[in-house]
Amino acid sequence: MRALFRPAFIGLIALRYGLDGLLLDSLRSPGLSLLGRVLATGRNLKAPRGQRLREALERLGPIFVKFGQMLSTRRDLLPHDVADELAKLQDRVPPFPSDESARLVEKALGKPISAVFKQFDTDPIASASIAQVHFAVLHDGREVAVKVLRPRMLEVIDDDLALMRTLAGWVERLWADGKRLKPREVVAEFDKYLHDELDLVREAANAAQLRRNMDGLDLVLVPEMVWDHCTPTVMVMERMNGVPISQMQRLREAGVDIKKLARDGVTIFFTQVFRDGFFHADMHPGNIQVSLDPRSFGRYIALDFGIIGTLTEVDKDYLAQNFIAFFHRDYKRVAELHIESGWVPATTRADELEGAVRTVCEPFFDRPLKEISLGQVLMRLFQISRRFNVEIQPQLVLLQKTLLNVEGLGRDLDPDLDLWSSAKPFLEKWMHEQIGVRGLFARLKREAPRYAKLLPELPRLIHKNLERGDQDLRQELRAILREQQRTNRTLSAALWVGLGFALGLGAAKLLLTLHEHGVW
């Protein structure tokens, strides 16, 4: 019944808030717009369209809220009024009651609030789709932020994911491009990351790892976790004091270099992706602040570590080579990489794919970010991918989403930012360190502890393996030896025959010579 109720509920919400009319209007067809107005007859749709869309997404739950959060970063694709409303989803989702929040904290920590905190602010400072945050003070005087998971989240998310899996199955069966796009695998990736986000201990561990990775970069701050008070439903961490990155005017008035902030954001992103293979994958403005503390002035402050992306060494190497090939406009290499990686069929003609990629990318080089719409680029690339049967890689879905967030943030900070020029030196340096002599020594250094442990044991392991041997190997060796013995015997016989023949010829020649000289 729940599987049937959820789609019906989504349909009712869409009708109640007039989302059907918004969809028909967006298609820019006079006939469809008229149909939208007819369908709206009898409904109270006086609220602005952006507000209606935001409220509908809030009613539909966390998955839809996250979709709205991602859309809010794409002001180049949305009307300003809609983008402004969706931006409220980043940290202003309606909170759940404060008394319930306190009850959940006490249940998770197994102690009364007063036993853990000297002070606990009942009013949340931020409320998002998965959890809300309260400020508090520990008895030792440390100021902390307490993140509390929303109640009954697992049930709601499981219902939506079940619906998404059903829809993905329909897409795969009914749409010509369904199998190539791997919708069920993409939903499975989304399922994994959403369930990971529901475990706040995992989020705390993500934050700790990111904090270690970013130590020494001097561009971003990550809060320290208070591990004694971290549970799957409650997380206590160092309180960070910063200005939301969306408050641009306030940052300018404080003297923050906005253009440098934009460049630093690109550096942070590419460092996390290509150096560490461990990146913050929920980088919307609600999760990013800027420090005004004199000791860390102008640095980013990262928050909310529920969604973290990871890349293997193979993924990093492949992506870096693609980026560098793009930067050098080496479209032939891009085509070759797609074929080598198996993203396109091995029978694909590299010259045809090279020409298609050049057609999409060449017009966008040497232009500021404000003149480039990544949405348009992705749409053109999607058309090419359909033509060449490019397979969507589910493990890179989060990276694609994060790249969209980074572009949206960069556009807000500095519309003149050249994303390509900012990233190119970093990636070239990274590739040199990976492939050059420095990269070789770095890998040897990483593997040294393993070698140090293995080398003293190597003679014993070799001796043991030789003693134990392998039955098939021994039989094969015996067969080879028998064949070699037969060959040796044959060669010996041939040698003796040949030697005897040679001696016979020599003796005959000697007798003939003696006879000619009258000796014989």
Side-chain angles (χ1 to χ4, degrees):
M1 287 298 294
R2 283 168 57 186
L4 295 175
F5 172 77
R6 185 60 176 168
F9 177 72
I10 292 173
L12 287 174
I13 291 297
L15 290 172
R16 177 180 175 181
Y17 289 94
L19 301 189
D20 51 334
L22 290 178
L23 175 62
L24 294 173
D25 287 343
S26 68
L27 297 177
R28 297 180 180 178
S29 168
L32 292 176
S33 296
L34 177 61
L35 177 60
R37 288 192 290 272
V38 171
L39 291 174
T41 303
R43 287 183 280 171
N44 183 10
L45 303 178
K46 293 182 179 179
R49 58 182 181 177
Q51 179 182 334
R52 286 188 279 120
L53 178 58
R54 173 179 59 79
E55 291 176 351
L57 293 176
E58 289 174 353
R59 287 293 306 276
L60 290 174
I63 290 182
F64 295 90
V65 168
K66 286 193 170 296
F67 178 68
Q69 289 173 348
M70 186 187 74
L71 282 180
S72 70
T73 66
R74 302 313 318 277
R75 292 181 175 270
D76 57 320
L77 303 178
L78 295 174
H80 290 297
D81 60 320
V82 174
D84 289 341
E85 281 292 332
L86 292 183
K88 297 177 181 178
L89 295 173
Q90 292 166 3
D91 59 357
R92 281 179 280 176
V93 178
F96 54 90
S98 298
D99 56 346
E100 186 170 12
S101 181
R103 181 185 62 81
L104 291 171
V105 171
E106 291 182 338
K107 179 181 178 182
L109 300 182
K111 299 176 183 178
I113 288 283
S114 58
V116 181
F117 304 106
K118 180 180 179 181
Q119 177 186 332
F120 184 86
D121 295 345
T122 55
D123 294 331
I125 189 63
S127 180
S129 56
I130 296 293
Q132 65 187 36
V133 178
H134 300 258
F135 284 158
V137 180
L138 296 174
H139 285 289
D140 61 8
R142 282 182 292 170
E143 294 183 339
V144 295
V146 183
K147 186 171 184 176
V148 187
L149 197 69
R150 285 179 175 270
R152 297 174 294 279
M153 283 300 303
L154 184 60
E155 179 180 321
V156 175
I157 285 179
D158 282 344
D159 284 347
D160 282 347
L161 286 171
L163 178 59
M164 292 178 70
R165 281 190 287 268
T166 300
L167 292 175
W170 290 349
V171 168
E172 197 167 281
R173 287 193 298 270
L174 302 178
W175 193 21
D177 286 327
K179 290 185 179 179
R180 180 179 62 81
L181 296 176
K182 300 181 180 179
R184 287 190 291 186
E185 293 184 35
V186 171
V187 172
E189 284 285 309
F190 195 33
D191 183 343
K192 173 184 178 296
Y193 288 113
L194 272 176
H195 280 87
D196 286 351
E197 195 173 3
L198 293 178
D199 183 352
L200 297 187
V201 172
R202 179 185 289 270
E203 178 176 345
N206 289 340
Q209 180 66 55
L210 200 64
R211 180 182 170 91
R212 284 195 298 273
N213 290 350
M214 294 294 98
D215 185 34
L217 192 62
D218 294 332
L219 295 178
V220 60
L221 303 173
V222 178
E224 184 178 5
M225 298 296 112
V226 182
W227 286 107
D228 290 341
H229 302 314
C230 288
T231 75
T233 57
V234 170
M235 182 175 72
V236 180
M237 57 188 157
E238 173 189 5
R239 176 176 172 176
M240 308 300 287
N241 296 298
V243 175
I245 200 167
S246 56
Q247 297 182 14
M248 212 76 66
Q249 186 59 35
R250 186 178 169 188
L251 293 174
R252 288 193 180 95
E253 292 173 353
V256 175
D257 186 340
I258 301 298
K259 291 184 179 294
K260 179 180 183 300
L261 202 62
R263 294 193 302 271
D264 289 348
V266 175
T267 301
I268 292 168
F269 171 71
F270 282 104
T271 299
Q272 291 181 1
V273 170
F274 291 104
R275 189 193 70 181
D276 305 326
F278 189 90
F279 60 94
H280 193 303
D282 202 12
M283 295 179 64
H284 61 75
N287 289 337
I288 301 174
Q289 297 180 354
V290 179
S291 174
L292 299 184
D293 188 310
R295 295 169 297 179
S296 55
F297 186 82
R299 293 191 200 176
Y300 282 88
I301 296 175
L303 302 171
D304 195 342
F305 311 94
I307 303 180
I308 291 289
T310 57
L311 296 174
T312 65
E313 291 297 324
V314 174
D315 289 334
K316 290 193 295 183
D317 180 69
Y318 171 75
L319 288 168
Q321 290 194 56
N322 261 288
F323 271 113
I324 290 175
F326 271 119
F327 294 146
H328 288 288
R329 307 187 191 189
D330 187 355
Y331 305 117
K332 179 180 180 180
R333 182 56 183 153
V334 173
E336 291 172 348
L337 285 166
H338 275 69
I339 296 172
E340 291 170 7
S341 68
W343 282 25
V344 296
T347 55
T348 302
R349 285 186 54 178
D351 59 331
E352 291 184 356
L353 183 56
E354 174 190 353
V357 174
R358 180 185 295 109
T359 302
V360 170
C361 298
E362 191 64 28
F364 294 97
F365 276 99
D366 299 326
R367 295 167 61 184
L369 191 59
K370 66 180 179 181
E371 298 179 11
I372 301 175
S373 171
L374 189 56
Q376 294 177 7
V377 177
L378 290 177
M379 185 61 68
R380 296 282 302 278
L381 287 174
F382 176 76
Q383 293 170 352
I384 288 177
S385 69
R386 182 165 53 190
R387 174 184 167 191
F388 288 94
N389 296 316
V390 176
E391 292 192 356
I392 301 299
Q393 304 300 307
Q395 76 273 20
L396 301 181
V397 169
L398 268 184
L399 181 63
Q400 296 166 4
K401 167 185 173 292
T402 307
L403 186 57
L404 287 173
N405 286 342
V406 169
E407 187 209 19
L409 183 60
R411 189 183 303 278
D412 289 339
L413 292 173
D414 181 11
D416 294 320
L417 174 69
D418 188 337
L419 187 65
W420 312 120
S421 297
S422 300
K424 182 180 175 182
F426 177 88
L427 286 174
E428 288 181 334
K429 178 183 177 183
W430 182 85
M431 284 296 291
H432 176 72
E433 291 176 348
Q434 292 296 307
I435 297 175
V437 176
R438 188 183 301 178
L440 173 62
F441 280 109
R443 287 192 293 274
L444 289 174
K445 184 178 179 181
R446 275 199 310 270
E447 297 294 333
R450 186 182 304 176
Y451 296 150
K453 180 180 179 182
L454 180 62
L455 285 174
E457 299 179 2
L458 196 57
R460 179 179 59 82
L461 291 173
I462 293 175
H463 179 71
K464 184 177 180 180
N465 188 64
L466 290 175
E467 279 189 334
R468 184 177 55 193
D470 182 271
Q471 187 65 29
D472 293 336
L473 179 60
R474 290 202 301 269
Q475 290 178 357
E476 185 177 348
L477 287 173
R478 282 198 292 267
I480 291 173
L481 287 173
R482 284 196 297 270
E483 182 64 27
Q484 187 64 43
Q485 288 172 352
R486 285 196 296 269
T487 301
N488 289 343
R489 286 196 294 269
T490 303
L491 287 174
S492 297
L495 180 63
W496 284 111
V497 170
L499 182 61
F501 183 69
L503 290 173
L505 286 177
K509 186 176 181 180
L510 177 63
L511 291 173
L512 182 61
T513 302
L514 292 173
H515 178 72
E516 289 176 351
H517 289 80
V519 178
W520 183 260

